[in-house]
């Protein structure tokens, strides 16, 4: 990598998607698969979640080249009882599996009023809010419990070392004529990507966030990335967030027919399994009530006087919408190290740096 590829860049969403599509097409994916991967990663950046954006490209290419991730797979139906569907991701790209799982679930929820979709053995399905947004676009409420089988980084409540991953939980609620409510978070106190950012900037993390390699509290982000022994992130919300992480592991990883994390995996793959429950409020006969009650309730909650330093009270989903507007207009900033890694991953997949940067709109 030369000096030029280590510059920070600002790239607009459409050319960034084109660049990412080119990498995955060169890496053997069909045009549709490359498009689904690129769209979801860039959407994560647009919504402000850089930890799940195009910075994942090098990891995916690494896992693909190691032979763990399989291109051009589809969500395979292993059980179909009408309202319940079990799908196997067959170690394929999570962007395809998440999309196809929601397509199936949306069709079933339209037919039956509700659907339970159990997806197992998919590679990283990225930002879970993306899948709730697919349901929201169809007018459907959805709940998602997700587990992650990858190197453990989160300690149990009261424990001193990492035993599970950042198990995300997500709920999407469409509201006719109003913005949807979209709650989507990792059950760790802080996302792993945010600890890495603090380390790269030479900053400390907030007290109460991390344990060091001996299991004692620390604010030093380097402890999480130390090897062979490393520290851990604590769960959010003390015993309550920890409990939700356990529920995500058991519903996402076990009830779906997938795997839980109970040993250190050898590979760098990130396996996700997800239990999704989808509900059609129109078929439940409560769409009008949901809409009217939500309007009153949200107005009431948002009327709370803001704390010093806070401009206004927000609903879950609003920060992402604000990012979407700002980054859609001004472009997506990508730090120098991340862009250099993406260029390097592109070269490994067979896309020359000059071609990639031309697609990204500069160079
Ligand atoms: P976060 O801490 O930024 O929390 C995001 C949630 O909190 C959103 O619902 C957001 O709207 C809401 N929120 C934030 N500020 C708010 C405010 N001021 N008022 C009201 N609501 C507010 O998110 P995170 O925990 O860093 O997770 C980031 C992403 O990582 C998520 O999209 C998650 O799905 C994803 N993730 C994926 C995996 C995986 O294995 N696929 C694992 C972990 C996390």
């Amino acid at each position: 990598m030369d000096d030029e590829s280590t510059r920070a860049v600002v790239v607009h969403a459409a050319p960034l998607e084109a660049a990412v599509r080119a990498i995955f097409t060169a890496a053997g994916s069909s045009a549709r698969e490359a498009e689904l991967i690129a769209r979801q990663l860039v959407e994560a950046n647009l919504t402000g979640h850089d930890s799940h954006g195009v910075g994942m490209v090098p990891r995916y290419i690494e896992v693909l080249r190691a032979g763990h991730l399989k291109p051009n797979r589809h969500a395979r139906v292993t059980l179909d009882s009408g309202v319940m569907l079990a799908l196997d991701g067959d170690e394929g790209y999570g962007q395809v599996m998440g999309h196809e799982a929601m397509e199936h679930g949306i069709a079933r929820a339209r037919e039956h009023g509700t659907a339970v979709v159990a997806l197992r053995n998919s590679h990283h399905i990225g930002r879970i809010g993306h899948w709730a947004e697919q349901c929201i676009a169809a007018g459907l409420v959805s709940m998602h419990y997700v587990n992650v089988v990858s190197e453990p980084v989160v300690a149990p409540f009261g424990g001193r070392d990492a035993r599970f991953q950042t198990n995300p939980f997500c709920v999407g609620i469409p509201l006719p004529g109003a913005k949807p409510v979209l709650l989507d978070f990792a059950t760790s106190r802080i996302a792993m990507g945010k600890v890495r950012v603090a380390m790269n900037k030479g900053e400390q993390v907030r007290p109460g966030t991390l344990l060091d390699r001996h299991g004692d509290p620390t604010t030093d982000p380097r402890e999480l990335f130390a090897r062979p022994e490393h520290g851990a992130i604590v769960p959010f919300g003390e015993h309550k967030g920890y409990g939700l992480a356990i529920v995500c592991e058991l519903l996402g990883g076990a009830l779906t027919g997938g795997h839980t994390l109970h040993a250190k995996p050898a590979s760098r793959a990130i396996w996700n399994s997800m239990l999704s429950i989808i509900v059609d409020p129109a078929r439940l006969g409560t769409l009008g009530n949901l809409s009217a009650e939500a309007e009153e309730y949200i107005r009431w909650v948002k009327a709370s006087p803001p704390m010093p330093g806070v401009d206004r009270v927000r609903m879950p989903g609003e920060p992402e919408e604000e990012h979407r507007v700002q980054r859609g207009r001004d472009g997506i900033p990508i730090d120098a190290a991340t862009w250099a890694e993406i260029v390097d991953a592109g070269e490994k997949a067979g896309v020359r740096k000059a071609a990639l940067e031309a697609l990204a709109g500069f160079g």
Side-chain angles (χ1 to χ4, degrees):
M1 277 171 277
D2 61 29
D3 286 339
E4 279 206 342
S5 65
T6 60
R7 282 180 314 188
V9 296
V10 177
V11 193
H12 281 279
L16 186 57
E17 260 191 58
V20 174
R21 265 200 315 270
I23 293 175
F24 287 99
T25 306
S29 287
S30 68
R32 175 179 177 272
E33 180 163 282
E35 187 182 334
L36 288 172
I37 299 167
R39 192 188 309 155
Q40 197 220 18
L41 294 181
V42 171
E43 272 288 314
N45 291 110
L46 272 177
T47 52
H49 294 292
D50 294 335
S51 55
H52 288 70
V54 296
M56 293 305 298
V57 170
R59 180 81 174 257
Y60 291 2
I61 295 295
E62 178 190 339
V63 176
L64 177 79
R65 282 162 54 88
H68 301 298
L69 170 53
K70 312 286 187 329
N72 302 317
R73 296 277 171 101
H74 294 279
R76 185 166 52 84
V77 178
T78 58
L79 175 139
D80 181 353
S81 75
V83 83
M84 289 197 284
L85 277 175
L87 306 170
D88 197 310
D90 269 347
E91 304 180 353
Y93 280 103
Q95 286 71 17
V96 173
M97 301 312 154
H99 182 80
E100 293 183 353
M102 293 307 101
E103 276 185 336
H104 281 297
I106 289 166
R108 294 307 165 97
R110 287 218 168 104
E111 193 181 341
H112 302 288
T114 190
V116 175
V117 182
L119 171 68
R120 65 175 185 256
N121 301 335
S122 169
H123 196 251
H124 193 233
I125 55 177
R127 175 181 165 256
I128 310 306
H130 196 79
W131 313 124
E133 282 166 354
Q134 196 175 335
C135 296
I136 286 169
L140 302 173
V141 170
S142 64
M143 289 150 263
H144 309 265
Y145 299 84
V146 182
N147 91 315
V148 191
V149 174
S150 183
E151 186 173 35
V153 290
V154 182
F157 180 69
R160 290 172 79 100
D161 70 358
R163 294 285 154 168
F164 49 92
Q165 257 275 352
T166 53
N167 293 356
F169 173 69
C170 176
V171 178
I173 307 174
L175 297 170
K179 285 183 205 151
V181 169
L182 179 53
L183 179 66
D184 171 30
F185 57 73
T187 49
S188 51
R189 180 78 183 77
I190 183 174
M192 196 173 171
K194 290 169 187 165
V195 184
R196 189 182 292 278
V197 168
M199 179 176 74
N200 291 345
K201 288 183 175 171
E203 293 172 355
Q204 299 290 295
V205 298
R206 264 192 294 169
T209 304
L210 286 185
L211 303 178
D212 67 15
R213 71 194 82 177
H214 309 294
D216 294 318
T218 181
T219 56
D220 184 352
R222 290 174 303 181
E223 282 294 318
L224 192 62
F225 301 99
R227 294 294 180 273
E229 299 306 318
H230 61 85
I233 317 174
V234 301
F236 88 100
E238 303 190 328
H239 55 292
K240 304 176 191 182
Y242 164 58
L244 183 56
I246 298 292
V247 166
C248 285
E249 189 78 24
L250 294 177
L251 298 187
L255 183 65
T256 53
H259 299 288
T260 60
L261 177 52
H262 46 257
K264 284 194 179 179
S267 95
R268 292 255 301 152
I270 308 167
W271 302 115
N272 279 144
S273 294
M274 171 167 74
L275 181 77
S276 300
I277 301 164
I278 305 175
V279 176
D280 184 348
R283 293 287 301 274
L284 194 61
T286 59
L287 181 61
N289 188 68
L290 171 66
S291 182
E293 288 293 327
E295 189 182 338
E296 290 298 321
Y297 176 69
I298 291 170
R299 186 183 304 128
W300 163 253
V301 170
K302 290 177 78 167
S304 179
M307 295 279 280
V310 175
D311 58 347
R312 62 188 179 83
V313 170
R314 289 170 171 76
M315 279 293 121
E318 281 189 64
E320 285 74 14
E321 273 314 304
E322 289 165 12
H323 269 107
R324 215 191 288 269
V325 169
Q326 186 263 318
R327 289 185 164 190
R329 183 188 60 223
D330 303 336
I332 295 163
I334 303 175
D335 67 78
T338 301
W339 183 249
E341 284 173 15
I342 293 170
V343 169
D344 185 49
E347 294 267 4
K348 285 179 176 143
V351 183
R352 305 299 301 270
K353 180 187 169 202
L356 192 77
E357 297 203 332
L359 285 168
F362 59 95

